[in-house]
Amino acid sequence: MNVLVIGANGQIGKHLVEQLAQEDKHQVTAMIRKPEQADALKKLGAQVVIGDLEGTVDELAEAMKDQNAIVFTAGSGGSTGPDKTLLIDLDGAVKTMEAAAKQNISRYILVSAYGADQRSKWPEEIKPYYVAKHFADRALFASDLNYTIIRPGGLKNEPGTGKVAVGTDLKPGSIAREDVARVIAASLQEEKTYRMAFDLIAGDHAVSDALGKL
């Protein structure tokens, strides 16, 4: 498959690009906003395309040309305000869904957040972030795309273990970003994840085994 990673310059995105390139099963393309980010991602094994989540749907569709699957792992980041969260994490995500449909790309993986489906779990201090994730998830549910929505717990920068827990009502937990990337890569062609949304935290099962039990 030709896989486009949106948010490839982020921490999960870089892990995913590197893992997909090393697996050598898929051709990975990194969508970036700034040309100066290209060299580092090319060194990880990706092709590069320029795209802006604040651009138009048609521009995003053009960036997706010749792709078979889309992974959205972009985010506005913790240093921006609620306005950018809505523009990137919500509207940016929805525009990429519309762009994928325009290009007849059906496979779409969205990295959401643990608890995004349950308002009672939203921390008050970052509630706009959860609003964005919640409604991006809902837009994807309502689409005709062959989606997978992954809702990781607290994200850590430590090395991954390759052992995870997945499910639809997991207790709160955390997970290494490297392992989130592993789950994304494994989900691309795992039919048990098709049109599914699930929580993800560190656990006791190998990624393939955990996904196979969904």
Side-chain angles (χ1 to χ4, degrees), residues 143-161:
S143 76
D144 293 325
L145 298 172
N146 179 15
Y147 63 79
T148 299
I149 297 174
I150 300 171
R151 295 178 174 137
L155 296 169
K156 294 185 172 181
N157 282 330
E158 61 194 35
T161 65

Side-chain angles (χ1 to χ4, degrees), residues 56-157:
T56 68
V57 171
D58 285 341
E59 288 166 346
L60 289 166
E62 182 62 26
M64 294 177 182
K65 209 155 85 174
D66 301 321
Q67 301 298 319
N68 307 118
I70 307 299
V71 175
F72 188 96
T73 182
S76 59
S79 60
T80 61
D83 55 341
K84 282 292 184 186
T85 301
L86 289 175
L87 289 171
I88 301 301
D89 297 72
L90 176 50
D91 194 45
V94 173
K95 284 191 290 190
T96 65
M97 297 169 202
E98 295 171 5
K102 267 182 172 279
Q103 288 285 19
N104 294 313
I105 302 166
S106 67
R107 190 72 181 108
Y108 188 106
I109 296 178
L110 177 66
V111 178
S112 182
Y114 174 85
D117 56 328
Q118 300 177 57
R119 288 185 175 96
S120 62
K121 292 184 177 180
W122 297 354
E124 192 64 39
E125 62 275 15
I126 52 171
K127 194 171 275 189
Y129 169 80
Y130 275 86
V131 170
K133 293 298 186 185
H134 176 80
F135 284 100
D137 289 5
R138 285 176 62 165
L140 191 50
F141 285 137
S143 76
D144 293 325
L145 298 172
N146 179 15
Y147 63 79
T148 299
I149 297 174
I150 300 171
R151 295 178 174 137
L155 296 169
K156 294 185 172 181
N157 282 330

Side-chain angles (χ1 to χ4, degrees), residues 140-191:
L140 191 50
F141 285 137
S143 76
D144 293 325
L145 298 172
N146 179 15
Y147 63 79
T148 299
I149 297 174
I150 300 171
R151 295 178 174 137
L155 296 169
K156 294 185 172 181
N157 282 330
E158 61 194 35
T161 65
K163 297 292 183 70
V164 302
V166 303
T168 54
D169 193 24
L170 296 182
K171 292 180 179 178
S174 59
I175 187 164
R177 287 179 168 88
E178 185 178 8
D179 282 336
V180 177
R182 287 189 174 108
V183 169
I184 296 169
S187 294
L188 280 164
Q189 292 180 294
E190 172 51 73
E191 293 184 7

